[in-house]
Amino acid sequence: MGVDSSNKGKFIVFEGGDGVGKSTQAYLLVDALTGHNIDAIYMREPGSTVAGDMLRKLLKDKTVPLTERAQLMVICAARAQLIEETLRPALAKGQWVILDRYLPSTIAYRPTVDRLVFDLLNHVLDVPTPDVYVFLTANIKTVLGRVKAKDTADRFDNQDEATIAERLRLYSRLVQDFDAIEIDTSHTSIQGTHIEVLRQVMLRLDGWDSVSRC
């Protein structure tokens, strides 16, 4: 039996470092919700608008020097466009938005940026608050193996083990700040992780156990 799709739009964010399975799980959740008569849509940050996708290319292009503060401004520009052009309108229509990266990634990938600057910028943007944050994690060995297996190499790929390990630790510390669900993907199959994501998200929202059996 499907879930009543008349509920107001929900906002769910997937977070975590490269190699934890974040994007895969975001797509799987969209598919599962759609299969239960929920109008769900995948978005990514930066991206999901024409301007956002252009800014994403700039941000990830390792041939273009960008300080962490400059990166922050690029992300905030893309975020402003995302919020106004796609995110708020989707939520207003009752859609469930599954967003791949949001505020925690801005912090985790730019640890030298002053949190007061970060908070001020997001106040100016009047950022919507997610209903649920899902933080995916994995041990350093698993993450390194997955990152090395990627075909692409952007600004954030091929970083040294110490940088990646510190980012994982920072995400772990941010879990409490964002009242997030945290799920370790190190020793679980993609489908097993999906089932756990679905179970915990539904319990956090409304306890819809029927969805966890999809």
Side-chain angles (χ1 to χ4, degrees):
M1 187 163 112
V3 175
D4 182 4
S5 60
S6 65
N7 294 278
K8 67 175 184 177
K10 301 291 186 184
F11 182 18
I12 301 169
V13 172
F14 277 85
E15 277 289 356
D18 293 308
V20 298
K22 174 181 49 57
S23 300
T24 297
Q25 293 301 324
Y27 278 117
L28 286 173
L29 181 59
V30 170
D31 288 344
L33 293 172
T34 302
H36 282 77
N37 301 319
I38 294 174
D39 186 4
I41 182 172
Y42 171 89
M43 296 183 188
R44 67 180 184 178
E45 194 189 67
S48 294
T49 66
V50 173
D53 287 335
M54 293 174 67
L55 291 167
R56 181 185 183 88
K57 290 180 180 178
L58 171 63
L59 181 69
K60 294 173 77 68
D61 188 346
K62 63 182 180 181
T63 68
V64 180
L66 284 175
T67 67
E68 289 195 354
R69 284 195 175 191
Q71 291 176 32
L72 176 62
M73 298 306 169
V74 171
I75 289 168
C76 284
R79 180 172 295 152
Q81 192 66 28
L82 174 77
I83 290 170
E84 295 178 29
E85 183 180 330
T86 59
L87 179 55
R88 287 196 192 281
L91 293 173
K93 289 192 300 184
Q95 289 183 298
W96 286 39
V97 175
I98 313 304
L99 182 60
D100 189 340
R101 295 201 186 281
Y102 199 38
L103 311 187
S105 282
T106 310
I107 299 169
Y109 280 79
R110 280 142 218 104
T112 67
V113 173
D114 192 322
R115 284 289 292 271
L116 291 176
V117 174
F118 168 82
D119 291 339
L120 176 61
L121 287 169
N122 286 306
H123 175 72
V124 170
L125 294 179
D126 189 22
V127 296
T129 301
D131 294 284
V132 183
Y133 273 105
V134 180
F135 277 41
L136 300 183
T137 188
N139 60 49
I140 186 64
K141 181 179 179 180
T142 300
V143 168
L144 288 172
R146 292 171 179 172
V147 169
K148 288 178 180 178
K150 291 174 65 175
D151 293 331
T152 59
D154 59 39
R155 186 187 305 276
F156 307 106
D157 289 331
N158 300 324
Q159 293 183 326
D160 61 81
E161 182 175 340
T163 300
I164 294 173
E166 178 55 32
R167 186 175 298 137
L168 290 173
R169 286 191 289 269
L170 182 51
Y171 269 116
S172 184
R173 294 195 294 270
L174 290 172
V175 167
Q176 187 172 356
D177 291 354
F178 289 91
D179 188 26
I181 295 166
E182 186 176 27
I183 299 173
D184 192 332
T185 69
S186 301
H187 306 293
T188 309
S189 67
I190 291 175
Q191 185 61 24
T193 298
H194 168 61
I195 291 171
E196 183 62 13
V197 166
L198 201 53
R199 184 184 72 83
Q200 292 206 38
V201 167
M202 292 301 108
L203 287 174
R204 178 68 69 92
L205 290 175
D206 289 297
W208 289 333
D209 291 333
S210 61
V211 180
S212 68
R213 296 194 292 270
C214 71

